[in-house]
DNA sequence: GCCAACGTTGGC
DNA sequence: GCCAACGTTGGC
């Protein structure tokens, strides 16, 4: 299984909205960046991801699961752009802030810390466990 | 609200 | 194919 991280501004698409979608989940649409899209193309059903609120909160707030692999983005008439579908699995007991990640020596290689502009990123298994641990949250 | 970093566009 | 100009993201 692979691990990922999805960024969203809470004003645009929040964790609460994702949770409200339940098991049906929702398209992760609107990505207009090739690196982010390429990451989504590598996702498999059952992969897990962090849900991160950028800009205002800057913290990991929940865990999601990939429920549909890359398909054309329904919000644009341009075949270049694809997206996956995700559903909420569980919220973080304690949100893990960007500042916490930056302070943790073990996370200094994390894409979140080093490439702030990438909106869909890979997370290593070790990083996954560390962040879940920091958030007192079940990593499974 | 500002601005640095980055990605994309388009003229040449 | 290069690179300047521009637009957007996201941390601070």
């Amino acid at each position: 299984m692979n691990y990922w991280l999805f960024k969203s501004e809470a004003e645009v698409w929040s964790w609460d909205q994702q949770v409200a979608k339940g098991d049906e989940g929702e398209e992760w649409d609107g990505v207009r960046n090739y690196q982010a899209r390429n990451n989504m193309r590598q996702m498999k059903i059952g992969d897990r991801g962090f849900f991160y609120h950028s800009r205002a909160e800057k913290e990991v707030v929940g865990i999601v699961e990939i429920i549909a692999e890359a398909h054309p983005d329904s919000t644009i008439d341009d075949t270049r752009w694809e997206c996956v579908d995700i559903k909420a699995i569980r919220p973080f007991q304690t949100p893990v802030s960007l500042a916490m990640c930056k302070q943790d020596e073990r996370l200094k290689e994390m894409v979140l810390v080093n490439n702030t502009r990438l909106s869909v990123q890979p997370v290593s298994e070790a990083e996954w466990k560390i962040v879940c641990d920091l958030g007192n949250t079940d990593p499974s």
Side-chain angles (χ1 to χ4, degrees), chain A residues 32-91:
Chain A
R32 303 289 180 262
N33 171 284
Y34 290 106
Q35 250 186 299
R37 184 207 62 189
N38 291 343
N39 286 332
M40 288 200 290
R41 281 182 172 174
Q42 290 176 37
M43 294 179 188
K44 300 284 186 218
I45 289 173
D47 280 0
R48 295 295 172 101
F50 289 136
F51 193 108
Y52 175 85
H53 279 159
S54 61
R55 287 278 285 175
E57 294 86 356
K58 295 191 293 293
E59 57 191 21
V60 176
V61 292
I63 292 177
V64 297
E65 181 176 316
I66 312 306
I67 56 170
E69 291 173 15
H71 57 83
D73 185 331
S74 69
T75 64
I76 190 173
D77 184 22
D78 185 332
T79 54
R80 287 180 302 167
W81 303 119
E82 299 177 4
C83 54
V84 296
D85 293 2
I86 61 175
K87 70 171 182 181
I89 296 293
R90 74 176 68 88

Side-chain angles (χ1 to χ4, degrees), chain A residues 6-21:
Chain A
F6 296 89
K7 275 189 196 175
S8 181
E9 290 192 50
E11 292 76 15
V12 178
W13 181 255
S14 71
W15 171 249
D16 286 345
Q17 286 173 286
Q18 185 69 52
V19 169
K21 284 284 174 179

Side-chain angles (χ1 to χ4, degrees), chain A residues 53-129:
Chain A
H53 279 159
S54 61
R55 287 278 285 175
E57 294 86 356
K58 295 191 293 293
E59 57 191 21
V60 176
V61 292
I63 292 177
V64 297
E65 181 176 316
I66 312 306
I67 56 170
E69 291 173 15
H71 57 83
D73 185 331
S74 69
T75 64
I76 190 173
D77 184 22
D78 185 332
T79 54
R80 287 180 302 167
W81 303 119
E82 299 177 4
C83 54
V84 296
D85 293 2
I86 61 175
K87 70 171 182 181
I89 296 293
R90 74 176 68 88
F92 263 58
Q93 293 287 323
T94 312
V96 175
S97 69
L98 179 64
M100 287 166 70
C101 292
K102 283 191 166 176
Q103 276 168 25
D104 198 305
E105 268 293 300
R106 297 169 298 171
L107 297 176
K108 66 173 191 284
E109 302 286 316
M110 205 176 171
V111 181
L112 183 66
V113 173
N114 294 303
N115 187 352
T116 57
R117 309 251 332 208
L118 187 58
S119 61
V120 179
Q121 3 179 305
V123 174
S124 74
E125 189 174 357
E127 288 161 356
W128 182 269
K129 287 178 177 161

